Amino acid sequence: MYRPGPRNLITDVPGFTVGHATDERVQSGVTVLLCAKDWPAGVDVRGGGPGTRETEALAPENLIGRAHAVVLAGGSVFGLAAADGVAAALSAQGIGLTLRPGSPAIPIVPAAVLHDLGNGGDKAWGLEPPYRALGASALRAAAADFALGSVGAGRGAMAGLMKGGIGSASIDLGGGLIAGAMVAVNSVGSALMPDGITYWAWPFELDGEFGGAKPPGAQTDMGNPEPGGSRLPGSGNPGANTTLGVVACSAALTTAECRRVAMMAQDGIARAVRPAHSLLDGDTVFALAGCAVAIDDGARRALQVSRIGSAAADCMARAIARAVYRSRSPQGIPPHG
Amino acid sequence: MYRPGPRNLITDVPGFTVGHATDERVQSGVTVLLCAKDWPAGVDVRGGGPGTRETEALAPENLIGRAHAVVLAGGSVFGLAAADGVAAALSAQGIGLTLRPGSPAIPIVPAAVLHDLGNGGDKAWGLEPPYRALGASALRAAAADFALGSVGAGRGAMAGLMKGGIGSASIDLGGGLIAGAMVAVNSVGSALMPDGITYWAWPFELDGEFGGAKPPGAQTDMGNPEPGGSRLPGSGNPGANTTLGVVACSAALTTAECRRVAMMAQDGIARAVRPAHSLLDGDTVFALAGCAVAIDDGARRALQVSRIGSAAADCMARAIARAVYRSRSPQGIPPHG
């Protein structure tokens, strides 16, 4: 039987830590995934209104294809500055690519942002948005344990008409192969079925990690194509909603394989949120390879990569449900338990 | 309450007909969607092993962005010839783009193929594969009613470890807005949950269209990340599996909007098949706009397009379940009822 890793967090994958910085006055924040080294990384953007940075550096046909950290941030376009704070701090520690001795280390810090500008927090920052400092602060907080729910990049987020937030989940596939996901859920779509009780992701739940609610009875009409609980009928702000995800695995994958895993992990969004990938979402998934475990180099490699992608999709669906579940619970509960 | 259109087929969308040609000896076939005129069309390719034709002509930044017909075919690369048969027949009828008076009409016939070469049928065609003739034959058969199940492009298809086939479904969104989907299911992944009874697509079912089976009880462990019933553990043939879909709507959409609808319809595959979009799949979705109904041109347009995309995703999930459901039932049952 398959079980989550010990923390049921993306940090169960060796070589990754996560830190949050939250500004309660602004009702926004930043979440940083820090890599122990520059791991192979890919990205897949599927939303109609994305806000991103350094995604082209992760294209398989380009030079770099690796990342030192990944930043998720609130603040819409202003949140992109969080990656500045992270990149400067990492470089000051000597972390980054060194193209020439004596010149600054060049950290590759891909980032994606979500829109939380209209959530009632104090956004009167004028020329000094808080995100650069929040990025540096989140980086300092990076650790194996981190909170879920209404924190960090998920502090100001909404999942359809409910509170969104940060979620994470992991799975131990055996033989040292571990996959995990982390997500900031700010979707147009709802994470709940039209009954308002059952998570779309229910079939993927492990160990009651998001409450154990089972699907409704036969008399409930689930066929209504109007996405119940979503903001689709009401919202008029393209680019105002986003599910930002990161998946990681312990396998040694190439950049192109990371991209395939990111593509498959988007299916976890599709299975946990309805609708997803609309013009009004900025859905983006990063995938990183911790390179602790070698996988087959022969004919079975495509199978192995696909199996990892399928597990990553499951983790993504679970992480989304956990984000909403933890954001509905009181603050301060332990991140796992 | 939302209901399927009168046929619960993609042909409920005005301006489209569908024909099959099936070769029982070869255990393969071709399915053609014929457009009443050159409708705006987009495509989204998400599988790792696609086999396609004319997809670049449907890129939003390119010139054409329209299609006269769409072909789905078995036969792997040999099936691409089905579009030759369709293009020649359409041109002979004067259907196609006319760039210069007197020169042949140029029909745009995008196509995608699935792999059914190993299914035991007679594939000893040498230099004369049957697909060109099957394409022309399927075109001649195009009508508002068409069969579901093990016919046409779905004749040799497998859905995971079960028989695959052709499925279709539609939804009437009111105000003349109708969406529909058609699919040939030959996926690595299974359309059934690990219990082997419940369709993944069950929440989207309308009117018992694929048997009305409800999800399993709480004691069934749905959390197993190994895709039960799928061919993922066993198959070693990248590109050997594919879910090929077409969605259509009655709205007047641009080519770029068609592409967004195709992207969102891929979520229907994600919700109905697990795993999906693996390296071993060639998953491809075409989207066409029948242009019978104008939609808002202002700020609400993005909402409308997203709503159509969400409905198309639902139809795609239902069409996939119907494909497998109808392929399990005896041949010859009426396509709707």
Side-chain angles (χ1 to χ4, degrees), chain A residues 22-43:
Chain A
T22 310
D23 188 321
E24 290 296 337
R25 191 176 53 80
V26 179
Q27 291 184 33
S28 188
V30 172
T31 297
V32 175
L33 177 87
L34 177 62
C35 304
K37 55 175 291 191
D38 55 327
W39 299 131
V43 65

mmCIF file of all heavy atoms in Angstrom, chain A residues 22-43:
data_model
loop_
_atom_site.group_PDB
_atom_site.id
_atom_site.type_symbol
_atom_site.label_atom_id
_atom_site.label_comp_id
_atom_site.label_asym_id
_atom_site.label_seq_id
_atom_site.Cartn_x
_atom_site.Cartn_y
_atom_site.Cartn_z
ATOM 1 N N THR A 22 4.624 36.042 5.530
ATOM 2 C CA THR A 22 3.239 36.499 5.439
ATOM 3 C C THR A 22 3.138 37.898 6.027
ATOM 4 O O THR A 22 3.686 38.170 7.094
ATOM 5 C CB THR A 22 2.318 35.545 6.236
ATOM 6 O OG1 THR A 22 2.590 34.201 5.838
ATOM 7 C CG2 THR A 22 0.854 35.877 5.988
ATOM 8 N N ASP A 23 2.482 38.789 5.316
ATOM 9 C CA ASP A 23 2.227 40.138 5.834
ATOM 10 C C ASP A 23 0.732 40.245 6.122
ATOM 11 O O ASP A 23 -0.073 40.359 5.195
ATOM 12 C CB ASP A 23 2.667 41.183 4.807
ATOM 13 C CG ASP A 23 2.596 42.604 5.367
ATOM 14 O OD1 ASP A 23 1.636 42.908 6.111
ATOM 15 O OD2 ASP A 23 3.488 43.409 5.045
ATOM 16 N N GLU A 24 0.366 40.224 7.394
ATOM 17 C CA GLU A 24 -1.055 40.188 7.760
ATOM 18 C C GLU A 24 -1.743 41.511 7.447
ATOM 19 O O GLU A 24 -2.936 41.532 7.163
ATOM 20 C CB GLU A 24 -1.223 39.847 9.251
ATOM 21 C CG GLU A 24 -0.857 38.404 9.604
ATOM 22 C CD GLU A 24 -1.777 37.369 8.932
ATOM 23 O OE1 GLU A 24 -2.920 37.722 8.575
ATOM 24 O OE2 GLU A 24 -1.335 36.223 8.749
ATOM 25 N N ARG A 25 -0.986 42.614 7.487
ATOM 26 C CA ARG A 25 -1.591 43.901 7.185
ATOM 27 C C ARG A 25 -1.944 43.980 5.694
ATOM 28 O O ARG A 25 -3.029 44.434 5.318
ATOM 29 C CB ARG A 25 -0.638 45.030 7.572
ATOM 30 C CG ARG A 25 -1.249 46.432 7.550
ATOM 31 C CD ARG A 25 -0.249 47.483 8.054
ATOM 32 N NE ARG A 25 1.019 47.410 7.347
ATOM 33 C CZ ARG A 25 1.248 47.924 6.128
ATOM 34 N NH1 ARG A 25 0.291 48.570 5.488
ATOM 35 N NH2 ARG A 25 2.436 47.799 5.553
ATOM 36 N N VAL A 26 -1.028 43.488 4.867
ATOM 37 C CA VAL A 26 -1.254 43.490 3.419
ATOM 38 C C VAL A 26 -2.181 42.337 3.006
ATOM 39 O O VAL A 26 -2.770 42.353 1.941
ATOM 40 C CB VAL A 26 0.095 43.415 2.676
ATOM 41 C CG1 VAL A 26 -0.094 43.400 1.172
ATOM 42 C CG2 VAL A 26 0.982 44.595 3.060
ATOM 43 N N GLN A 27 -2.300 41.352 3.876
ATOM 44 C CA GLN A 27 -3.032 40.117 3.555
ATOM 45 C C GLN A 27 -2.475 39.478 2.287
ATOM 46 O O GLN A 27 -3.194 39.195 1.328
ATOM 47 C CB GLN A 27 -4.537 40.373 3.442
ATOM 48 C CG GLN A 27 -5.178 40.714 4.781
ATOM 49 C CD GLN A 27 -6.688 40.864 4.683
ATOM 50 O OE1 GLN A 27 -7.333 40.202 3.905
ATOM 51 N NE2 GLN A 27 -7.237 41.761 5.507
ATOM 52 N N SER A 28 -1.160 39.268 2.324
ATOM 53 C CA SER A 28 -0.493 38.652 1.180
ATOM 54 C C SER A 28 0.793 38.021 1.681
ATOM 55 O O SER A 28 1.113 38.108 2.879
ATOM 56 C CB SER A 28 -0.219 39.699 0.102
ATOM 57 O OG SER A 28 0.263 39.094 -1.079
ATOM 58 N N GLY A 29 1.526 37.409 0.800
ATOM 59 C CA GLY A 29 2.775 36.801 1.226
ATOM 60 C C GLY A 29 3.494 36.092 0.103
ATOM 61 O O GLY A 29 3.104 36.176 -1.069
ATOM 62 N N VAL A 30 4.562 35.407 0.499
ATOM 63 C CA VAL A 30 5.463 34.741 -0.443
ATOM 64 C C VAL A 30 5.833 33.375 0.118
ATOM 65 O O VAL A 30 5.986 33.223 1.337
ATOM 66 C CB VAL A 30 6.735 35.587 -0.660
ATOM 67 C CG1 VAL A 30 7.780 34.830 -1.476
ATOM 68 C CG2 VAL A 30 6.385 36.919 -1.328
ATOM 69 N N THR A 31 5.965 32.407 -0.776
ATOM 70 C CA THR A 31 6.437 31.076 -0.399
ATOM 71 C C THR A 31 7.605 30.708 -1.311
ATOM 72 O O THR A 31 7.514 30.876 -2.536
ATOM 73 C CB THR A 31 5.299 30.047 -0.541
ATOM 74 O OG1 THR A 31 4.245 30.398 0.364
ATOM 75 C CG2 THR A 31 5.786 28.650 -0.217
ATOM 76 N N VAL A 32 8.675 30.233 -0.699
ATOM 77 C CA VAL A 32 9.884 29.881 -1.457
ATOM 78 C C VAL A 32 10.192 28.402 -1.278
ATOM 79 O O VAL A 32 10.203 27.895 -0.149
ATOM 80 C CB VAL A 32 11.092 30.711 -0.988
ATOM 81 C CG1 VAL A 32 12.370 30.246 -1.683
ATOM 82 C CG2 VAL A 32 10.864 32.191 -1.256
ATOM 83 N N LEU A 33 10.411 27.719 -2.387
ATOM 84 C CA LEU A 33 10.957 26.358 -2.364
ATOM 85 C C LEU A 33 12.442 26.474 -2.670
ATOM 86 O O LEU A 33 12.827 26.941 -3.754
ATOM 87 C CB LEU A 33 10.283 25.482 -3.420
ATOM 88 C CG LEU A 33 10.829 24.056 -3.530
ATOM 89 C CD1 LEU A 33 10.134 23.128 -2.544
ATOM 90 C CD2 LEU A 33 10.646 23.516 -4.959
ATOM 91 N N LEU A 34 13.261 26.063 -1.724
ATOM 92 C CA LEU A 34 14.715 26.175 -1.892
ATOM 93 C C LEU A 34 15.290 24.813 -2.249
ATOM 94 O O LEU A 34 14.966 23.802 -1.609
ATOM 95 C CB LEU A 34 15.337 26.685 -0.588
ATOM 96 C CG LEU A 34 16.863 26.794 -0.561
ATOM 97 C CD1 LEU A 34 17.388 27.779 -1.592
ATOM 98 C CD2 LEU A 34 17.342 27.171 0.847
ATOM 99 N N CYS A 35 16.146 24.793 -3.249
ATOM 100 C CA CYS A 35 16.780 23.551 -3.693
ATOM 101 C C CYS A 35 18.160 23.428 -3.049
ATOM 102 O O CYS A 35 18.888 24.415 -2.942
ATOM 103 C CB CYS A 35 16.948 23.565 -5.210
ATOM 104 S SG CYS A 35 15.411 23.833 -6.105
ATOM 105 N N ALA A 36 18.539 22.223 -2.657
ATOM 106 C CA ALA A 36 19.862 21.999 -2.068
ATOM 107 C C ALA A 36 20.961 22.280 -3.090
ATOM 108 O O ALA A 36 22.074 22.657 -2.730
ATOM 109 C CB ALA A 36 19.970 20.571 -1.549
ATOM 110 N N LYS A 37 20.662 22.098 -4.340
ATOM 111 C CA LYS A 37 21.536 22.562 -5.410
ATOM 112 C C LYS A 37 20.677 22.897 -6.627
ATOM 113 O O LYS A 37 19.449 22.874 -6.523
ATOM 114 C CB LYS A 37 22.638 21.561 -5.731
ATOM 115 C CG LYS A 37 22.165 20.158 -6.067
ATOM 116 C CD LYS A 37 23.314 19.275 -6.488
ATOM 117 C CE LYS A 37 23.882 19.708 -7.847
ATOM 118 N NZ LYS A 37 24.822 18.717 -8.411
ATOM 119 N N ASP A 38 21.302 23.234 -7.725
ATOM 120 C CA ASP A 38 20.497 23.625 -8.889
ATOM 121 C C ASP A 38 19.956 22.373 -9.568
ATOM 122 O O ASP A 38 20.574 21.809 -10.450
ATOM 123 C CB ASP A 38 21.309 24.495 -9.862
ATOM 124 C CG ASP A 38 22.609 23.838 -10.321
ATOM 125 O OD1 ASP A 38 23.221 23.089 -9.521
ATOM 126 O OD2 ASP A 38 23.005 24.058 -11.479
ATOM 127 N N TRP A 39 18.761 21.971 -9.134
ATOM 128 C CA TRP A 39 18.140 20.755 -9.666
ATOM 129 C C TRP A 39 17.547 21.006 -11.054
ATOM 130 O O TRP A 39 17.093 22.119 -11.348
ATOM 131 C CB TRP A 39 17.023 20.295 -8.726
ATOM 132 C CG TRP A 39 17.401 19.938 -7.335
ATOM 133 C CD1 TRP A 39 16.804 20.375 -6.189
ATOM 134 C CD2 TRP A 39 18.437 19.027 -6.910
ATOM 135 N NE1 TRP A 39 17.392 19.789 -5.091
ATOM 136 C CE2 TRP A 39 18.389 18.970 -5.496
ATOM 137 C CE3 TRP A 39 19.389 18.259 -7.586
ATOM 138 C CZ2 TRP A 39 19.273 18.176 -4.747
ATOM 139 C CZ3 TRP A 39 20.260 17.474 -6.843
ATOM 140 C CH2 TRP A 39 20.197 17.430 -5.442
ATOM 141 N N PRO A 40 17.512 19.970 -11.865
ATOM 142 C CA PRO A 40 16.790 20.073 -13.143
ATOM 143 C C PRO A 40 15.340 20.494 -12.903
ATOM 144 O O PRO A 40 14.700 20.003 -11.966
ATOM 145 C CB PRO A 40 16.860 18.639 -13.696
ATOM 146 C CG PRO A 40 18.078 18.046 -13.071
ATOM 147 C CD PRO A 40 18.166 18.667 -11.695
ATOM 148 N N ALA A 41 14.859 21.391 -13.746
ATOM 149 C CA ALA A 41 13.519 21.956 -13.523
ATOM 150 C C ALA A 41 12.837 22.224 -14.856
ATOM 151 O O ALA A 41 13.469 22.621 -15.832
ATOM 152 C CB ALA A 41 13.621 23.252 -12.722
ATOM 153 N N GLY A 42 11.535 21.998 -14.872
ATOM 154 C CA GLY A 42 10.713 22.314 -16.043
ATOM 155 C C GLY A 42 9.464 23.032 -15.594
ATOM 156 O O GLY A 42 9.162 23.096 -14.401
ATOM 157 N N VAL A 43 8.750 23.582 -16.539
ATOM 158 C CA VAL A 43 7.539 24.328 -16.190
ATOM 159 C C VAL A 43 6.497 24.139 -17.288
ATOM 160 O O VAL A 43 6.847 23.906 -18.458
ATOM 161 C CB VAL A 43 7.852 25.827 -15.981
ATOM 162 C CG1 VAL A 43 8.329 26.476 -17.281
ATOM 163 C CG2 VAL A 43 6.645 26.578 -15.414
#
